[in-house]
Amino acid sequence: MKRAALCLLLLPFALFMATKIRSQNRAAAGKSVTTVEGIGASSLHPVQKAFMVHDALQCGFCTPGFIVEAAAFHDRWRATKGTATPSREEIGAALSGHLCRCGAYDGIFSAVAAACAGQFDGGESVELPSSFPWKEPIEELGDRTIAPEPTWETLRFDQVAVGDELPKLVIELTPTLIIATAIATQDYQDVHHDRDMVQRRGHPDVFMNILTTTGFAGRFITDWAGPEALIQAAGIRLGVPNYPYGEMTISGRVTEREEQPTGDRGTLTVEVRGVNKLGTHLDGQLTLTLPR
Ligand code: FES
């Protein structure tokens, strides 16, 4: 009975879609259809160059549709209005059938306006603005170890002394790391994954959330102490943000050692510090127990 009801519901929709496709086929009959592959095939279209310079995308999922629609609008506009700058409303009306789930609208609108105003005519290559940190050459890693292999041998409490330095942990800060860990820790604050929003708030880029920072501080400890180490407490203070395109180096040393009454484990306190190219990102103490 339920299935029959569903069919009764879907049928009109299917009929509607079939009619719509048929009418679109009729509308396209005898006409040439240009897809995104056809735009900029020989040389980049002004809209494509403008999208690059105005950072008009994040994940890029919606970009082909926006490029095709914006290029069509641009060509119509230039044919009738020359290099006048279209208003946000005029651009919005032209692109209204498209959605960007990443919210890259500021870049999209400014790109289309600039292209229509003729700022990207002629010339093949585009100069990406210096505010794009990824313009910097990727640093050659050379023989520097990024992160030591985590130990699978658990340290014994008696093997550790106050003043012991832990091996450094270097974390490469990428947009993927920052966004993925925010989502993985169910922190949907836009500053951790929405570049447009965070730039509107005056930050150069998305930045790492405290849950991820605390997680890396924990990893720093267990990579050194081993799988039987039990972290009891973490007191973390955040300093400068962890923005992408750089690295965070975590270092630390044992500051306290305390026998446990039961005698089979002991408690250690480790002072931890994480720095990036802007300064101290994390500062704090972690307490853990180790078997004797
Ligand atoms: S850039 Fe991601 S959906 Fe638009």
Side-chain angles (χ1 to χ4, degrees), residues 166-244:
L166 282 64
K168 286 189 170 60
L169 174 63
V170 180
I171 302 291
E172 207 170 340
L173 303 170
T174 64
T176 305
L177 176 78
I178 289 168
I179 296 168
T181 50
I183 305 297
T185 52
Q186 299 186 345
D187 181 344
Y188 305 116
Q189 281 285 333
D190 51 33
V191 290
H192 304 306
H193 57 79
D194 187 325
R195 182 182 286 145
D196 295 302
M197 286 301 274
V198 78
Q199 286 180 340
R200 228 182 271 167
R201 303 213 169 133
H203 286 275
D205 214 324
V206 293
F207 54 86
M208 186 177 282
N209 71 340
I210 189 170
L211 300 170
T212 305
T213 299
T214 310
F216 279 124
R219 175 185 156 186
F220 171 67
I221 298 286
T222 51
D223 277 2
W224 162 72
E228 291 168 56
L230 294 176
I231 294 180
Q232 306 290 309
I236 300 265
R237 275 183 309 283
L238 279 194
V240 295
N242 262 347
Y243 295 120

Side-chain angles (χ1 to χ4, degrees), residues 4-290:
L6 187 60
C7 292
L8 283 175
L9 272 177
L10 283 178
L11 191 57
F13 176 69
L15 288 173
F16 164 73
M17 287 310 294
T19 320
K20 194 169 167 58
I21 292 167
R22 249 205 316 277
S23 65
Q24 282 171 342
N25 284 347
R26 267 200 301 276
K31 300 207 174 70
S32 70
V33 175
T34 306
T35 63
V36 72
E37 289 77 10
I39 294 174
S42 53
S43 64
L44 285 177
H45 187 282
V47 163
Q48 287 172 312
K49 290 188 258 183
F51 265 54
M52 290 164 73
V53 170
H54 287 263
D55 194 24
L57 67 155
Q58 289 198 29
C59 73
F61 184 77
C62 66
T63 308
F66 272 112
I67 290 279
V68 171
E69 193 75 71
F73 170 69
H74 166 276
D75 298 352
R76 285 196 305 274
W77 179 270
R78 297 297 295 273
T80 52
K81 306 273 172 64
T83 55
T85 305
S87 67
R88 199 174 168 90
E89 290 65 32
E90 286 163 326
I91 297 171
L95 303 181
S96 60
H98 300 267
L99 280 179
C100 173
R101 65 181 181 188
C102 300
Y105 292 108
D106 275 359
I108 292 170
F109 278 87
S110 60
V112 176
C116 289
Q119 290 172 27
F120 292 92
D121 292 355
E124 177 54 15
S125 66
V126 283
E127 183 53 34
L128 290 181
S130 59
S131 62
F132 285 17
W134 57 83
K135 244 189 99 192
E136 290 154 21
I138 299 291
E139 206 187 315
E140 288 307 316
L141 290 177
D143 59 4
R144 185 162 33 104
T145 313
I146 287 285
E149 268 303 303
T151 174
W152 299 112
E153 290 296 312
T154 299
L155 277 179
R156 299 292 148 192
F157 178 65
D158 300 331
Q159 290 173 296
V160 181
V162 171
D164 283 1
E165 296 275 347
L166 282 64
K168 286 189 170 60
L169 174 63
V170 180
I171 302 291
E172 207 170 340
L173 303 170
T174 64
T176 305
L177 176 78
I178 289 168
I179 296 168
T181 50
I183 305 297
T185 52
Q186 299 186 345
D187 181 344
Y188 305 116
Q189 281 285 333
D190 51 33
V191 290
H192 304 306
H193 57 79
D194 187 325
R195 182 182 286 145
D196 295 302
M197 286 301 274
V198 78
Q199 286 180 340
R200 228 182 271 167
R201 303 213 169 133
H203 286 275
D205 214 324
V206 293
F207 54 86
M208 186 177 282
N209 71 340
I210 189 170
L211 300 170
T212 305
T213 299
T214 310
F216 279 124
R219 175 185 156 186
F220 171 67
I221 298 286
T222 51
D223 277 2
W224 162 72
E228 291 168 56
L230 294 176
I231 294 180
Q232 306 290 309
I236 300 265
R237 275 183 309 283
L238 279 194
V240 295
N242 262 347
Y243 295 120
Y245 312 107
E247 56 195 30
M248 168 173 66
T249 302
I250 304 179
S251 57
R253 67 187 183 84
V254 178
T255 53
E256 280 175 49
R257 215 172 156 278
E258 192 192 328
E259 309 273 350
Q260 285 219 341
T262 55
D264 61 349
R265 295 180 80 88
T267 304
L268 298 171
T269 302
V270 177
E271 225 169 59
V272 177
R273 191 157 176 263
V275 297
N276 62 31
K277 59 184 173 190
L278 298 176
T280 301
H281 167 69
L282 86 96
D283 203 2
Q285 281 188 336
L286 280 87
T287 309
L288 67 148
T289 65
L290 282 179

